[in-house]
Amino acid sequence: MFIGRKEELKQLENIYANEHSNVLIIYGRAGIGKTTLALKFCENKEYLYYRANEVSEEEQTSLLEKAVIGRMMADSERKKVLIIDEFRFAVFPGLKEKLIKLISQEERFGRYMVLLLSSSTNWVENSMVAENKDFVRYVTGIFKIKELSFAETVEWFPKSTAADCVVIRGIMGGVPKYLKYWQENRRVRENLLALFFAPDAPLLTEAEYLLKLELRELTAYNTILTALASGRNKLNDIYEYTGFGRAKISVYLKNLSEMDIVEKVYSVNVRNSENTKKGVYRIKDNFLNFYYAYVFPNISEIESGQGKTVYSKALIPDFDRFMRKSFSEVCREYLEIMSKFKKLGRNYNEWHCWYGKKGILDIIGRDQEQNMLVGMCYYSDSPADYELLEEFKSLIEEAGIRPKKLCLFSKNGFEPELLGYARDENIMTVSLNDL
């Protein structure tokens, strides 16, 4: 199954149409779909594929010669594609020399489009250029592959309800590797028990594998991620939970941020800044956020066959709180699309949130004239009621915002009293059915 990536394919085709040879870097976290994208692009094209492994230079050279180098001859006028997957493991001087010759000697080898793939975001963004100055000057483009959008997740699961797709998004993120595990003929509970809460669950150790690709000292990172997943999102909260020094925590958070695992979120600038938190840390990656909230802290019970108990006692009572972040991301994506198609009255082109000392405003859109849209997201099995609206207005007043538009999102709809008031006051109300 191939979903989405239309813009990436279009960009690759435009570059392929260039009459000369070129080199592109395609990178993103493991499982994001880099190889699938590259092979999809190569349909109906002549291409060579090689996946590098962590072996010696001599072994790598031998494998490359057998799989690729020996077949590089100008045997057609058509431009060919060379894919080297996980090329970080193969950037030896000998290989770089061969690639430079390949793209600079078209009369000998013909025209090539070289796609270099990497699952190490940290290496590409922070070390690749410094370590390979002799080669990167030949690189003509760098593509970072991001997670699939919510709309693409819905496309992936055409038989699932919007509510189920929000849950899938909140747990698996938009990572194709994980989405492939989810079975539409199973209920959410059955999927989670099979994928995370059984001794032989296929995703039970996936987080450890993902982090080991780039990090050492997993004990420290596991502890910090567990703290964040439990809602401890300020530096002092993490310090009190872990006992690590603040300087040490800052270094670990920086490393996790460079891997797109953690982010520091700052509130939008408002009038009453004294009521605003300076910035909070949170796990950006939905899959890891779920894993460290419910799986990692209970790994002993799960491996001893008590996964159903963990699911019932640890996950179910806390799940609405956990899902708010993911639900708000889906709601923001909805508003971005609405704004793009001029359905909100104004073109809101900046999107933020606000963390106050008494609560959160999940979505704040801002246009070029600094007019604001404010949205609040309610994830619960019960319909949103008038009390929620009062809380919403109280937070807006606390922040000192004078919004042009108010939006309320609710998983399970709205009480009639709230709907009537919202209609009279021109407050936008959106349920999952609307999504």
Side-chain angles (χ1 to χ4, degrees), residues 300-343:
S300 297
E301 290 86 347
I302 294 169
E303 291 196 338
S304 63
Q306 301 174 60
K308 290 182 179 179
T309 302
V310 172
Y311 178 88
S312 300
K313 293 187 175 181
L315 184 146
I316 292 299
D318 185 59
F319 197 58
D320 287 352
R321 176 204 66 83
F322 169 83
M323 280 297 300
R324 182 172 179 175
K325 169 184 172 289
S326 177
F327 183 49
S328 67
E329 290 169 353
V330 170
C331 297
R332 189 175 82 171
E333 184 178 325
Y334 171 83
L335 288 174
E336 288 175 346
I337 294 171
M338 294 289 283
S339 181
K340 179 181 178 181
F341 289 98
K342 306 184 187 307
K343 299 291 186 181

Side-chain angles (χ1 to χ4, degrees), residues 160-418:
S160 298
T161 64
D164 283 352
C165 286
V166 169
V167 171
I168 295 169
R169 176 77 179 181
I171 296 167
M172 302 302 208
V175 181
K177 175 182 178 180
Y178 306 148
L179 296 179
K180 290 176 183 176
Y181 283 106
W182 196 275
Q183 296 186 28
E184 276 197 286
N185 60 346
R186 289 177 172 175
R187 294 183 178 180
V188 170
R189 179 180 183 275
E190 293 169 339
N191 269 295
L192 292 181
L193 290 176
L195 298 179
F196 293 98
F197 295 99
D200 58 348
L203 297 178
L204 187 60
T205 59
E206 175 66 19
E208 185 177 10
Y209 160 77
L210 185 66
L211 296 181
K212 276 184 175 179
L213 289 175
E214 302 200 58
L215 298 172
R216 300 175 183 175
E217 298 185 77
L218 279 188
T219 52
Y221 288 107
N222 283 335
T223 306
I224 289 172
L225 288 168
T226 303
L228 290 171
S230 66
R232 295 171 174 87
N233 55 18
K234 293 189 292 185
L235 188 63
N236 195 57
D237 296 335
I238 302 169
Y239 165 74
E240 291 179 352
Y241 180 84
T242 64
F244 302 153
R246 288 181 174 84
K248 182 177 180 180
I249 293 170
S250 296
V251 170
Y252 289 143
L253 289 172
K254 177 178 177 291
N255 293 338
L256 290 169
S257 296
E258 289 175 347
M259 292 175 62
D260 275 348
I261 292 173
V262 166
E263 61 182 346
K264 189 172 186 180
V265 183
Y266 294 93
S267 295
V268 67
N269 290 329
V270 293
R271 290 183 179 85
N272 299 343
S273 58
E274 67 275 7
N275 295 325
T276 302
K277 291 184 180 180
K278 293 181 179 179
V280 298
Y281 293 95
R282 66 181 187 183
I283 299 177
K284 182 179 180 181
D285 185 291
N286 284 351
F287 175 81
L288 291 178
N289 196 27
F290 177 83
Y291 183 87
Y292 281 96
Y294 305 116
V295 181
F296 184 79
N298 301 292
I299 199 80
S300 297
E301 290 86 347
I302 294 169
E303 291 196 338
S304 63
Q306 301 174 60
K308 290 182 179 179
T309 302
V310 172
Y311 178 88
S312 300
K313 293 187 175 181
L315 184 146
I316 292 299
D318 185 59
F319 197 58
D320 287 352
R321 176 204 66 83
F322 169 83
M323 280 297 300
R324 182 172 179 175
K325 169 184 172 289
S326 177
F327 183 49
S328 67
E329 290 169 353
V330 170
C331 297
R332 189 175 82 171
E333 184 178 325
Y334 171 83
L335 288 174
E336 288 175 346
I337 294 171
M338 294 289 283
S339 181
K340 179 181 178 181
F341 289 98
K342 306 184 187 307
K343 299 291 186 181
L344 298 178
R346 297 175 184 272
N347 180 25
Y348 297 97
N349 51 12
E350 290 182 27
W351 298 94
H352 307 273
C353 54
W354 180 77
Y355 286 87
K357 295 176 181 178
K358 295 181 181 178
I360 301 170
L361 294 173
D362 301 279
I363 305 170
I364 298 179
R366 189 158 58 185
D367 67 10
Q368 290 183 336
E369 287 76 41
Q370 304 303 304
N371 296 302
M372 288 188 179
L373 168 155
V374 182
M376 190 173 184
C377 304
Y378 181 64
Y379 191 91
S380 173
D381 287 336
S382 60
D385 56 18
Y386 193 80
E387 187 177 331
L388 178 74
L389 179 61
E390 289 296 305
E391 178 188 344
F392 186 28
K393 287 184 172 181
S394 175
L395 288 172
I396 292 172
E397 184 177 350
E398 182 187 358
I401 298 174
R402 295 174 185 168
K404 291 291 183 181
K405 192 172 189 65
L406 297 182
C407 304
L408 276 175
F409 293 87
S410 173
K411 171 190 174 184
N412 206 30
F414 304 87
E415 292 284 359
E417 181 188 11
L418 173 54

Side-chain angles (χ1 to χ4, degrees), residues 27-243:
Y27 75 105
R29 59 163 289 165
I32 203 66
K34 302 176 295 296
T35 306
T36 303
L37 171 65
L39 293 176
K40 179 69 176 179
F41 165 71
C42 286
E43 287 182 356
N44 303 316
K45 297 180 179 68
E46 294 181 48
Y47 73 94
L48 299 168
Y49 174 87
Y50 175 75
R51 189 193 188 284
N53 295 301
E54 290 187 81
V55 295
S56 67
E57 181 174 359
E58 292 76 14
E59 179 69 9
Q60 199 81 260
T61 302
S62 174
L63 293 170
L64 268 166
E65 287 284 353
K66 186 185 301 182
V68 173
I69 302 298
R71 298 162 59 193
M72 288 179 179
M73 297 302 291
D75 52 2
S76 77
E77 292 295 320
R78 195 178 182 191
K79 193 173 187 177
K80 295 180 282 295
V81 182
L82 168 62
I83 304 168
I84 300 182
D85 212 338
E86 301 301 349
F87 79 103
R88 175 171 61 128
F89 301 133
V91 284
F92 301 118
L95 172 66
K96 288 186 285 186
E97 289 175 12
K98 286 182 170 64
L99 288 177
I100 291 170
K101 286 181 180 179
L102 175 69
I103 59 179
S104 60
Q105 297 181 18
E106 293 181 358
E107 70 285 351
R108 178 181 175 187
F109 297 106
R111 296 177 302 141
Y112 269 88
M113 183 173 179
V114 181
L115 304 181
L116 303 176
L117 281 51
S118 177
S119 295
S120 177
T121 58
N122 189 24
W123 178 74
V124 171
E125 294 179 351
N126 298 293
S127 305
M128 181 186 72
V129 173
E131 294 174 3
N132 300 281
K133 290 180 180 178
D134 57 335
F135 176 70
V136 293
R137 62 192 180 94
Y138 292 94
V139 174
T140 52
I142 299 181
F143 291 84
K144 184 174 186 178
I145 307 303
K146 298 182 179 181
E147 294 187 9
L148 297 176
S149 67
F150 176 68
E152 290 166 335
T153 304
V154 172
E155 186 181 352
W156 192 297
F157 299 104
K159 298 177 183 178
S160 298
T161 64
D164 283 352
C165 286
V166 169
V167 171
I168 295 169
R169 176 77 179 181
I171 296 167
M172 302 302 208
V175 181
K177 175 182 178 180
Y178 306 148
L179 296 179
K180 290 176 183 176
Y181 283 106
W182 196 275
Q183 296 186 28
E184 276 197 286
N185 60 346
R186 289 177 172 175
R187 294 183 178 180
V188 170
R189 179 180 183 275
E190 293 169 339
N191 269 295
L192 292 181
L193 290 176
L195 298 179
F196 293 98
F197 295 99
D200 58 348
L203 297 178
L204 187 60
T205 59
E206 175 66 19
E208 185 177 10
Y209 160 77
L210 185 66
L211 296 181
K212 276 184 175 179
L213 289 175
E214 302 200 58
L215 298 172
R216 300 175 183 175
E217 298 185 77
L218 279 188
T219 52
Y221 288 107
N222 283 335
T223 306
I224 289 172
L225 288 168
T226 303
L228 290 171
S230 66
R232 295 171 174 87
N233 55 18
K234 293 189 292 185
L235 188 63
N236 195 57
D237 296 335
I238 302 169
Y239 165 74
E240 291 179 352
Y241 180 84
T242 64

